[in-house]
Amino acid sequence: PAFDIVVRGTQFNISAYDDEATSTVRLYRGKVELQFPDTTLVMRPGDQISYDKARRRLSSGQFPTDNLGWVEGCLEADDMPLGTLIRMLSRQYGVRIHVADRSLLGIGITMHLHQESNIDDVMSALQRVMDIKVVRRARDIYITPARAGSSR
């Protein structure tokens, strides 16, 4: 790994998947250290550090610490691109989601899903907020525009 994480706090989130271009650490409460070969970064609540794997660059920023849905077993999406949401849902529910119209992938989605939601509930919710058609065949889910050339 490009860095080690030493946890000094109690509530944080790490997103570091092989199929993602960046790894991100968000600290909600407490303290976290990111240890690199040549330096150590100490994070405070509200800090977000992202590491771009291809460019080998760090970026930092702030985020609101009052959104702890993940602690309560909820998935929070706040203007999240559909493409990002699909990757998260695929990992969480063990499904393959196929999108016929790639222009849909950049559309921002805002939704709050409870832990007890199943993938069918999630796809139903997506159909309500987007002009799409969803077809599920076992572990494969296909998303197409509801009408040709149309998306909300």
Side-chain angles (χ1 to χ4, degrees), residues 15-23 51-54 83-88 91:
S15 176
Y17 296 97
D18 289 339
D19 64 341
E20 297 287 337
T22 59
S23 295
Y51 178 73
D52 183 315
K53 297 173 192 174
T84 302
L85 181 61
I86 283 172
R87 287 191 300 276
M88 291 175 67
R91 283 190 290 266

Side-chain angles (χ1 to χ4, degrees), residues 26-56:
R26 284 183 160 191
L27 181 62
Y28 291 86
R29 290 191 177 81
K31 185 165 112 176
V32 168
E33 292 178 3
L34 299 179
Q35 296 179 339
F36 296 87
D38 58 344
T39 188
T40 298
L41 297 174
V42 178
M43 296 178 66
R44 305 279 181 233
D47 287 348
Q48 173 178 298
I49 304 289
S50 296
Y51 178 73
D52 183 315
K53 297 173 192 174
R55 294 187 177 105
R56 296 182 174 219

Side-chain angles (χ1 to χ4, degrees), residues 51-71:
Y51 178 73
D52 183 315
K53 297 173 192 174
R55 294 187 177 105
R56 296 182 174 219
R57 289 192 182 154
L58 287 174
S59 61
S60 63
Q62 297 287 305
F63 71 97
T65 59
D66 58 350
N67 182 353
L68 288 171
W70 62 273
V71 172

